[in-house]
Structure formats: structure tokens, C-alpha cells
Amino acid sequence: MTPDLVATFSIVARDPDTGDLGVATASKFLAVGAVVPFARARVGAGATQSYANTSVGPRTLEALAGGRRLPDIHQSYADTDPDHHLRQYGMVTADGDSLSFTGTGCHPWAGGISQPGFAAQGNLLTGPKVLDALFEGYEKSHGPFPERMLASLLAGDRAGGDRRGRQAAALLIVREGGGYGGYSDRYIDLRVDDHPDPVPRLSELLELHRLFFERPRAEELLAIQGEVAERLSALLVSSGYLAAPGPWDATSERALRELAGVENLEERLVEAGKIDPRTLERLECVASEGEDLAPHRD
């Protein structure tokens, strides 16, 4: 039985500043993020597409972790996969080595490019201009690594992308200990599974991710005293988490953490007795909109 065609375009890259590894992909294919991207912090990242062989992800990561090099891994797939001519994949290692492969059986237009720390590939594209846009979108963009990945993806999308249209997009960034609570390496793992214009929507989700899960830097934190303490105490009293305003103490701190947890902002509370402006503003904004923040207990 021939596997489903995952006609798509993707980029795989390594951030030279942080060592983060990432994959960004888009396609006229439902939930493309469930099939194409794979990554492991300090090991490697990649995208498997066309008539996607989903075993490529775990096998590649295990091989890289075991010390094998990309050319050897690629050759083993060529030697053992009878449908290798239908496959397309791109890979980048934690050291920045890269590889992009397009089988001769991939539907045109299909192709790929690889540079140190970067690989881009696509099939069923409107033309080679999509790959050029992916590369230029990444190289010419500035700012944090995830935003650069999405700038590349959007450039490829607006250059034509998948010639069948748009449906889904995904972004996966891995960082050691970067996942929720520090328990995994899935620093950013976002998907738009079915949408008429998924890449801009993915950018919106990245903004939400930064709001809810990004940990503020130490220099951004405000001491909870003076006006800041008064604002927080008033908020906690009005929302039912404190009985009455008063000096900031352990009870106030527990109340703040409970409220932050209700609003999915717990990852932003990184130091007792301090809060960052964005978290404070978000809590006040939610309260001003009339949302019921009160704890509901039996």
C-alpha cells in the first residue's frame, strides 16, 4: 500500500547563538505537524515529507545520538528503503551539519538546498522560487530564532508554497530543559492543523506562547512592593484570592501563584516577591474585562 503523499515545504535549522534546533513546515495536508517534524535537543532536527517515511525521525535521532554522521544515515536509507526515490527529507545536526534529499519520484516542482546549519526542501511547489524565498527569508530576517523560522516559512508561502493551496503549518523548537516545567526539550511546539491561511495564524500562536510560557529575564522583574504590591493586592482581593489588602507576605504570594495558575501564567513567576510587567498587565487586563477569576472551592 502506497503511503499518503505529504506534499509540503519545510526548513530545518540550528540557531548558532543558542544551539536551539528547529523545524518549520507548511502544506495542503491536514495536521502536517503530526507527520513532518522531528527534533531532539543537542542531537539534531529534521523533516520527512513527500511519501513520508515516519520512521526516519526516530531512526535518525537515535543514529545521530550514537555518533553516526548524516551521509552514512542517508546512505543507509537509500540502501534499505525500496521507496526511497519517493522520499524527501532535510536534516541538521547539533553541530550544524546539514543534508537535504529529494528523491527522483517526488512530484514536481521538487528540490532542496542545504547550507551550514540550514536545510530547506519542498515538493509539489509552484517552483524553485519557493526554496529561494525560504532561504532568503531566514538569512535576511532578524530577531529570535523562532521568529526567523516563521519569517522563512511565510516568505516561502507568499512566494507560492504548495501549489495545491494552504491548510496546515507547524513549528517545533527544541532546547534542553526548555519545555513546560523544564521536564522536556520541547521548547516551542505549535501546530495549526486546518486553516485557510495557517502560517500567519502560527505566528499568532507564537505570540501567545511567549505570553503564557516564556520566562522573563531577571532584569525585567519588578519587586512586589510599593505601587506594584498595592496593585496586586487590590487585584487579589477583588478576584477573591485575598480576604483583605495588607503587607505583601507568604499568604499574598500563595494567592498570586494560585491566580497565575488559573490564568496559565505560572511559568512566568520565576522568583518569589517579584513579578514581570507583562504578567501584571495581563492579570489586570483579564480582571478589567470582567472574567471570573475567583477560586471555586467546595
Side-chain angles (χ1 to χ4, degrees):
M1 179 177 179
T2 302
D4 291 337
L5 170 64
V6 189
T8 187
F9 56 100
S10 63
I11 62 168
V12 186
R14 176 187 179 273
D15 182 0
D17 295 327
T18 64
D20 291 351
L21 295 159
V23 188
T25 181
S27 179
K28 183 68 169 67
F29 184 89
L30 179 67
V32 69
V35 176
V36 170
F38 59 90
R40 186 187 302 174
R42 295 194 174 185
V43 176
T48 177
Q49 53 202 51
S50 187
Y51 292 94
N53 182 342
T54 55
S55 74
V56 163
R59 290 165 61 196
T60 298
L61 295 175
E62 285 302 313
L64 288 174
R68 296 186 65 188
R69 309 297 294 177
L70 285 182
D72 294 336
I73 296 170
H74 166 65
Q75 189 60 51
S76 70
Y77 295 152
D79 293 341
T80 60
D81 184 354
D83 291 322
H84 192 251
H85 64 291
L86 299 175
R87 315 296 189 198
Q88 186 176 56
Y89 45 76
M91 304 167 184
V92 172
T93 72
D95 296 327
D97 294 337
S98 67
L99 179 149
S100 184
F101 167 75
T102 299
T104 58
C106 292
H107 292 283
W109 192 89
I113 56 175
S114 62
Q115 301 285 342
F118 179 90
Q121 43 284 315
N123 62 91
L124 259 177
L125 302 181
T126 56
K129 61 184 180 181
V130 177
L131 282 186
D132 294 337
L134 287 170
F135 181 69
E136 291 178 7
Y138 183 77
E139 287 293 301
K140 294 182 178 180
S141 60
H142 302 283
F145 181 56
E147 279 77 6
R148 292 185 65 198
M149 296 286 284
L150 290 188
S152 171
L153 199 67
L154 183 60
D157 180 73
R158 293 319 191 229
D162 187 330
R163 63 183 172 89
R164 301 170 304 167
R166 302 180 175 99
Q167 186 170 11
L171 174 68
L172 173 62
I173 309 288
V174 293
R175 171 187 294 178
E176 189 170 41
Y180 178 84
Y183 297 113
S184 75
D185 67 355
R186 300 181 85 80
Y187 170 43
I188 298 172
D189 188 0
L190 300 173
R191 287 171 31 178
V192 178
D193 286 346
D194 188 19
H195 192 279
D197 200 6
V199 179
R201 178 56 183 154
L202 193 60
S203 295
E204 294 171 356
L205 293 182
L206 178 58
E207 282 296 309
L208 290 175
H209 181 278
R210 291 205 180 280
L211 169 63
F212 290 114
F213 305 119
E214 187 170 69
R215 298 180 180 182
R217 298 186 300 272
E219 60 269 23
E220 297 174 319
L221 298 178
L222 304 172
I224 302 178
Q225 57 189 23
E227 181 192 358
V228 173
E230 291 174 5
R231 288 166 64 184
L232 276 173
S233 291
L235 174 61
L236 292 168
V237 170
S238 66
S239 56
Y241 286 83
L242 274 182
W248 193 261
D249 56 16
T251 300
S252 307
E253 192 74 29
R254 286 194 298 271
L256 173 60
R257 292 195 171 274
E258 187 174 1
L259 174 56
V262 169
E263 290 303 310
N264 300 318
L265 293 165
E266 64 273 10
E267 287 288 276
R268 299 190 68 89
L269 297 183
V270 295
E271 186 176 341
K274 294 186 178 181
I275 191 169
D276 72 285
R278 194 170 185 186
T279 301
L280 177 57
E281 291 167 7
R282 173 67 180 178
L283 291 174
E284 290 181 327
C285 179
V286 171
S288 70
E289 292 173 353
E291 182 174 324
D292 180 13
L293 304 180
H296 298 282
R297 302 185 178 93
D298 294 335

